[in-house]
Amino acid sequence: MALPPALLATAAALAALAALLLVLICIIAHITAKKMPTLHRHEEEKYFINAEGRKESLPSIHDPPTKELSVVVPSYNEEDRLPHMMDEALDYLEKRQKRDPSFTYEVIVVNDGSKDQTTQVAMKYCKKYGSDKVRVLSLVKNRGKGGAVRMGVFSSRGKRILMADADGATEFADIEKVEEGLKNLQPWPRSYFRTLLMYGFHFLVWFLCVKEIRDTQCGFKLLTREAALQTFSTLHIERWAFDVELLYIAQRLRIPIAEVAVNWTEIEGSKLVPFWSWLQMGRDLLFIRLRYMTGAWQLETRKCN
């Protein structure tokens, strides 16, 4: 049955309008994109305060690794939730080191411009365990979770680098599941990449950016040093959707990715504002896809200065 001419004309007009809107969005995404991510480090962010209260220069991810594991903990106003995470993590890490003296670690708490006592809380652990094991990196201003993780990654010394949320929602001992899975990944000429996730995420992530990964937002991710350098050097987004771009970059670089179930508990105190945070993430997901598709963003490894 043939459609009425008026209906066909309306459909054609709507299709043309949708195409025009898509072109307009592509143009906006392209011209508003910063061509390369900002990797600048303020002068105050090149140092950490050791257990004795003295300034020491931070290492660089470009240096050879000197630890088996680095744990990067992005923290923004986490004075209440941080102690639980740190107690659990350090208890596990200390016991593991006693079982295996060859295992060495560091925990880097990145204070992302907090307005509370996050730095003071973290420094108590630095003084208790020593600044070779616990370091506090304070950012001059809030960069967002992705920006905080990147600064911690770029200041790490580990062969493997674990990103762990300050809320302690993931059982820390589950890192052994991740490490076991890492051994089973097929080698790649560039590097290995390990991402640990737990629950499902949204259709937009699958449709626009990342295939085959159910949950991109779990804050428990383990990377090799080389994979961390490649992905975080290219990362543009520094807030909620940075995990998605990180995985998108890994897929573009053909770095192997694996997903493993872990024990996870809902912890009160999330910084997400339900409506506005998801709206921002939806916008970022669309722009990730469009900006790489139009060439506004390129995959290029650079040094942080």
Side-chain angles (χ1 to χ4, degrees), residues 238-249:
E238 294 194 318
R239 297 197 179 271
W240 299 115
F242 87 95
D243 307 74
V244 179
E245 188 190 0
L246 196 71
L247 288 165
Y248 182 79
I249 292 167

Side-chain angles (χ1 to χ4, degrees), residues 3 5-23:
L3 294 174
L7 186 58
L8 288 173
T10 301
L14 288 174
L17 181 62
L20 180 62
L21 182 61
L22 179 60
V23 171

Side-chain angles (χ1 to χ4, degrees), residues 71-91 107-112 114 116-126 134-138 164-169 172 267-269 271:
V71 182
V72 176
V73 187
S75 305
Y76 177 66
N77 293 341
E78 293 288 3
E79 65 176 355
D80 294 328
R81 301 196 296 177
L82 186 62
H84 170 73
M85 182 272 167
M86 293 291 284
D87 288 339
E88 181 188 1
L90 287 162
D91 180 65
V107 178
I108 304 171
V109 178
V110 185
N111 175 22
D112 189 21
S114 298
D116 64 358
Q117 301 295 307
T118 294
T119 292
Q120 289 83 343
V121 170
M123 282 302 298
K124 291 180 182 178
Y125 293 92
C126 175
V134 179
R135 294 182 173 182
V136 183
L137 170 57
S138 294
D165 281 351
D167 61 8
F172 199 86
I267 304 294
E268 293 184 0
K271 304 301 189 300

Side-chain angles (χ1 to χ4, degrees), residues 28-147:
I28 292 173
H30 188 87
I31 63 178
T32 58
K34 293 180 180 179
K35 299 304 179 182
M36 289 302 297
T38 302
L39 302 183
H40 174 70
R41 190 193 294 265
H42 292 280
E43 192 63 29
E44 299 95 314
E45 298 169 351
K46 297 178 181 179
Y47 304 91
F48 71 96
I49 305 299
N50 64 22
E52 289 72 40
R54 295 191 300 271
K55 281 186 176 181
E56 285 191 33
S57 296
L58 286 163
S60 168
I61 194 172
H62 296 277
D63 300 333
T66 58
K67 299 287 183 183
E68 288 296 316
L69 176 69
S70 292
V71 182
V72 176
V73 187
S75 305
Y76 177 66
N77 293 341
E78 293 288 3
E79 65 176 355
D80 294 328
R81 301 196 296 177
L82 186 62
H84 170 73
M85 182 272 167
M86 293 291 284
D87 288 339
E88 181 188 1
L90 287 162
D91 180 65
Y92 166 82
L93 293 167
E94 284 291 291
K95 287 178 178 177
R96 180 169 172 177
Q97 190 172 67
K98 288 179 181 178
R99 295 196 310 265
D100 177 12
S102 67
F103 172 75
T104 55
Y105 74 88
E106 66 174 349
V107 178
I108 304 171
V109 178
V110 185
N111 175 22
D112 189 21
S114 298
K115 296 177 175 62
D116 64 358
Q117 301 295 307
T118 294
T119 292
Q120 289 83 343
V121 170
M123 282 302 298
K124 291 180 182 178
Y125 293 92
C126 175
K127 292 175 182 177
K128 180 178 179 179
Y129 292 91
S131 50
D132 186 54
K133 288 185 175 180
V134 179
R135 294 182 173 182
V136 183
L137 170 57
S138 294
L139 304 185
V140 172
K141 62 179 181 179
N142 179 265
R143 291 174 178 255
K145 185 177 178 181

